Amino acid sequence: MRAELEALDTVLPKLDWLAISERKSGAIKLTKLGPADEPRNLRRIKNEASRRWGSVPLIDMLKEAVLRTGCLKAVTSVVGGSSLKPDVLAERLMLAIFGYGTNTGIRAVASGGHAHSEDDIRYVRRRYLTPQVATDIAIAIANATFTARDVELWGKGTTTVASDSTHVRAYDQNIFTEWHSRYGGRGILIYWHIERGSMVVHSQTLRASASEVHAMIEGAVRHGTTMKIEGNYVDSHGQTEIGFGVSRFLGFDLLPRIKQINKVKLYRVESGESDLYPRLTPAMTRPIRWELIEQNYDQMIKYATAIKQGTASTEAILRRFTESASHPTYQAMLEVGRAQKTIFVARYLRLRALQREIQKGLNVVESSNGANSVIFYGKGGDISTNRREELEMSVLCLRILQAALVYLLTELTRVFVQFRRRAPRGTSMVPAHDRKERFRTGPRSAARTARGCVRRDGRCMGALPVG
């Protein structure tokens, strides 16, 4: 903490984007970041991929992800002596996932002219597709994506995620529907944790009045994938001083984009140091109460361990704290959070690269929310069910479809770049007759799309050749 404050005080005169002085609107004045340059080859890759493969139906992307990752084997392997064959079960599971993930419903998917009736798909949904199974499928696709990434293309595995909520409209009779003042409408919240490669590692449903801090901590601690999270990008609604304190004890960095950073205060290390950082004086406030932290250190470790081990939910612990704001452990955790926030803000103001890194991470979440609105198109994007399990299943199946989309794009990029490295210029990746049959462009209804899910010709059901 002392090192970060000293570093900021030393370099402040050289920072043309930062000014700290006495102002009514706040001591800190930070210039906004300018737009980043587009990656050199991004547009070329997009155009070439569109030229070679055209528009790939979403159901084909799901099938390809299932075939390549084997994410349904844990479900189909338990059929045993049942009359339902594993391949038939897999097809019905994919139809159910597609119906829930697009919000079109099982009835619309079942009318696709294939061999599976609506009752067959509903039975498989009730018998096999539980929320835990859907979560395991999404995790399996995410782990397969991390394994498939070429280090030369994607770099080393990232250890940071960005988290944010998105508002989904719901019918008024839904008992989970609440009015959200920030989004200005009735509905529920879906809180996403997405790594920088656009892969969703965790999702959860929240009430509109719920705190996003506990959702951020839950996703970072219990995401279930092979990814090791060391940092979490959030916006202003996902950070508080108590959030900084809890994340410090759980071993990951909270990296927020603070909206009203001009009013943020930096805490002093010790009392009697009012002249130690003269350039930062307008933004400084009282010292940290280290004696309170020392007195309640064991209790803070106990609560942090309970969160990490899952013996208590983050929401329950934070609710207990907020209901009794004078709780000594809560006050000590706040002091830890204030110290950690001071360290972060001092580093954030000093490093332009950190500001841009957080901005990029949160832009990934915004882009993902835009993609979700396209995938979750049924019923105008409104959730109509009143059953909590059905609501969670829609969110989890949406997560599966998004994971399948990212997985397939990862494979497409890998195959495309490998081909460009070794093939003569102008050579096509896929035979012309194969491209013409397998890659049709243009929109499809849910029923027509579902027909492509059950081809039995033995050929690859997806959109790219095996690399």
Side-chain angles (χ1 to χ4, degrees):
M1 181 176 175
R2 191 183 297 275
E4 289 296 336
L5 289 173
E6 184 176 353
L8 178 61
D9 183 71
T10 303
V11 302
L12 182 59
K14 302 177 182 178
L15 305 180
D16 55 357
W17 61 81
L18 176 65
I20 298 180
S21 60
E22 293 288 352
R23 295 186 184 87
K24 291 183 179 181
S25 59
I28 301 174
K29 184 178 180 181
L30 181 65
T31 306
K32 292 183 179 180
L33 287 169
D37 296 332
E38 184 180 278
R40 290 178 54 191
N41 295 320
L42 179 60
R43 194 176 298 274
R44 293 176 57 192
I45 292 177
K46 287 182 178 180
N47 294 337
E48 186 65 15
S50 177
R51 184 184 69 83
R52 290 180 181 273
W53 292 293
S55 298
V56 182
L58 184 60
I59 191 69
D60 281 348
M61 293 187 176
L62 176 60
K63 291 185 298 182
E64 191 72 36
V66 168
L67 288 173
R68 288 175 173 264
T69 64
C71 58
L72 295 184
K73 288 182 180 179
V75 186
T76 57
S77 61
V78 302
V79 177
S82 172
S83 59
L84 193 61
K85 296 181 180 180
D87 58 340
V88 176
L89 174 59
E91 291 173 357
R92 293 177 183 176
L93 283 171
M94 283 187 284
L95 288 171
I97 291 172
F98 186 81
Y100 274 91
T102 58
N103 203 32
T104 54
I106 291 179
R107 180 173 299 175
V109 173
S111 61
H114 44 70
H116 307 294
S117 66
E118 180 181 349
D119 291 337
D120 293 336
I121 301 174
R122 291 191 184 278
Y123 169 76
V124 167
R125 153 67 185 98
R126 293 191 304 268
R127 175 67 177 82
Y128 297 101
L129 191 59
T130 63
Q132 184 58 51
V133 168
T135 302
D136 293 340
I137 293 172
I139 291 175
I141 298 176
N143 291 337
T145 304
F146 299 149
T147 304
R149 283 179 179 168
D150 189 344
V151 177
E152 296 183 6
L153 293 176
W154 300 93
K156 294 183 179 179
T158 179
T159 58
T160 54
V161 295
S163 58
D164 195 11
S165 62
T166 181
H167 185 260
V168 179
R169 298 188 306 274
Y171 289 0
D172 289 346
Q173 69 268 25
N174 192 322
I175 60 176
F176 302 103
T177 298
E178 291 181 347
W179 178 271
H180 199 287
S181 58
R182 179 156 55 98
Y183 291 101
R186 292 182 175 88
I188 63 168
L189 296 180
I190 306 175
Y191 200 81
W192 304 100
H193 279 73
I194 304 176
E195 54 91 36
R196 295 189 64 180
S198 298
M199 175 56 68
V200 179
V201 298
H202 191 265
S203 63
Q204 52 191 311
T205 56
L206 302 175
R207 290 183 178 272
S209 58
S211 169
E212 295 187 11
V213 177
H214 86 267
M216 176 272 298
I217 296 173
E218 283 287 318
V221 174
R222 277 185 274 279
H223 54 90
T225 67
T226 57
M227 181 181 179
K228 182 180 179 182
I229 295 180
E230 298 178 356
N232 196 327
Y233 308 124
V234 295
D235 60 6
S236 295
H237 304 280
Q239 62 86 28
T240 58
E241 291 176 344
I242 193 68
F244 272 102
V246 174
S247 63
R248 177 68 178 85
F249 279 100
L250 293 177
F252 67 92
D253 294 327
L254 183 59
L255 305 171
R257 178 180 60 191
I258 303 176
K259 187 176 182 180
Q260 294 182 332
I261 198 169
N262 56 309
K263 297 182 179 180
V264 172
K265 291 293 184 180
L266 302 174
Y267 285 79
R268 299 185 185 277
V269 182
E270 300 285 351
S271 58
E273 297 180 349
S274 57
D275 299 330
L276 190 57
Y277 310 110
R279 299 184 182 93
L280 307 181
T281 300
M284 300 292 285
T285 185
R286 67 168 179 85
I288 297 294
R289 295 182 289 177
W290 301 107
E291 69 282 354
L292 184 60
I293 297 175
E294 184 179 359
Q295 294 168 5
N296 296 274
Y297 187 79
D298 291 341
Q299 288 296 317
M300 291 188 291
I301 291 294
K302 183 184 75 172
Y303 284 116
T305 303
I307 293 174
K308 195 165 188 177
Q309 298 298 326
T311 56
S313 68
T314 309
E315 183 180 10
I317 292 177
L318 294 183
R319 186 188 300 116
R320 180 179 180 181
F321 282 159
T322 53
E323 289 177 353
S324 178
S326 60
H327 195 292
T329 306
Y330 177 68
Q331 294 296 324
M333 190 72 78
L334 279 177
E335 292 299 313
V336 174
R338 287 160 181 160
Q340 188 66 22
K341 185 175 181 179
T342 299
I343 294 172
F344 165 76
V345 172
R347 185 183 300 130
Y348 180 84
L349 296 175
R350 179 170 57 90
L351 300 177
R352 205 63 162 171
L354 178 60
Q355 301 172 26
R356 192 169 295 280
E357 176 188 343
I358 295 173
Q359 184 72 25
K360 287 181 178 179
L362 293 175
N363 285 344
V364 172
V365 181
E366 298 297 335
S367 299
S368 179
N369 288 339
N372 288 338
S373 64
V374 176
I375 298 174
F376 201 71
Y377 65 90
K379 303 178 181 68
D382 292 355
I383 294 179
S384 59
T385 180
N386 289 333
R387 300 174 58 187
R388 185 172 182 83
E389 183 179 344
E390 294 288 301
L391 187 150
E392 292 179 353
M393 185 58 63
S394 296
V395 175
L396 289 170
C397 290
L398 172 61
R399 175 182 169 185
I400 292 173
L401 292 179
Q402 187 180 6
L405 173 63
V406 174
Y407 172 79
L408 198 60
L409 290 176
T410 302
E411 288 284 26
L412 284 171
T413 306
R414 179 181 63 84
V415 173
F416 169 70
V417 173
Q418 287 181 353
F419 177 83
R420 295 294 294 178
R421 287 173 179 170
R422 64 175 181 261
R425 188 182 184 92
T427 305
S428 177
M429 291 183 62
V430 185
H433 66 277
D434 210 16
R435 291 201 307 276
K436 184 177 180 180
E437 179 177 347
R438 285 161 56 185
F439 310 129
R440 301 181 181 132
T441 60
R444 292 185 176 187
S445 64
R448 185 182 175 191
T449 302
R451 285 198 294 268
C453 184
V454 291
R455 287 202 300 263
R456 300 176 182 271
D457 55 5
R459 300 175 58 195
C460 178
M461 293 189 293
L464 66 139
V466 178

